[in-house]
Amino acid sequence: MPPIGRFRAPVDVLNYEIIQEQAAALGRLGRGLEAALEALREFAAAHPHAGASSEERRTRRTLVMAAGHALWMFVVQREACGLRDSRSVMRDYKVPAEVQDRMGVFPATQQ
């Protein structure tokens, strides 16, 4: 952290801390997205014919939903940081279309 004397007003210290927290959250969420996508890729590699059993379909669907949720959280945090264009995320993280389609989709709750 820069010396306190470099800030012109006390609010500058607060703004600096907020930016640090935003960056830390963005990093955590990015690592979470990477982990979710890797889990999906590992499953796909281990089960090239996923769908052969209902258990495999269910597991794959769960992994896709988890990756979609991780993607949604990462994109929302990026937007909160002022980074509005998500195309680079999809490209750089190699996000499959099915995961993009699940972004922000939440399972129906049982009542």
Side-chain angles (χ1 to χ4, degrees):
M1 181 171 161
I4 297 296
R6 289 187 171 202
F7 297 112
R8 296 181 188 189
V11 73
D12 292 339
V13 175
L14 179 60
N15 287 333
Y16 182 79
E17 293 292 325
I18 290 170
I19 290 169
Q20 279 188 315
E21 286 301 317
Q22 286 177 326
L26 189 59
R28 280 191 308 273
L29 294 170
R31 288 186 297 278
L33 174 59
E34 288 173 343
L37 291 171
E38 183 60 26
L40 181 58
R41 288 183 190 111
E42 287 176 0
F43 181 82
H47 302 88
H49 302 292
S53 73
S54 61
E55 180 67 28
E56 287 176 348
R57 285 192 304 270
R58 192 171 325 131
T59 300
R60 189 170 196 298
R61 186 172 36 246
T62 299
L63 290 170
V64 169
M65 289 179 65
H69 183 69
L71 176 62
W72 177 74
M73 292 187 346
F74 184 62
V75 168
V76 167
Q77 182 63 31
R78 279 178 46 89
E79 289 181 1
C81 293
L83 304 169
R84 305 272 189 259
D85 186 7
S86 297
R87 289 177 294 189
S88 62
V89 171
M90 305 311 164
R91 182 185 62 245
D92 295 345
Y93 286 83
K94 297 177 181 71
V95 180
E98 65 184 328
V99 172
Q100 293 178 41
D101 292 343
R102 300 302 301 173
M103 181 173 80
V105 176
F106 300 99
T109 58
Q110 300 287 332
Q111 293 187 18

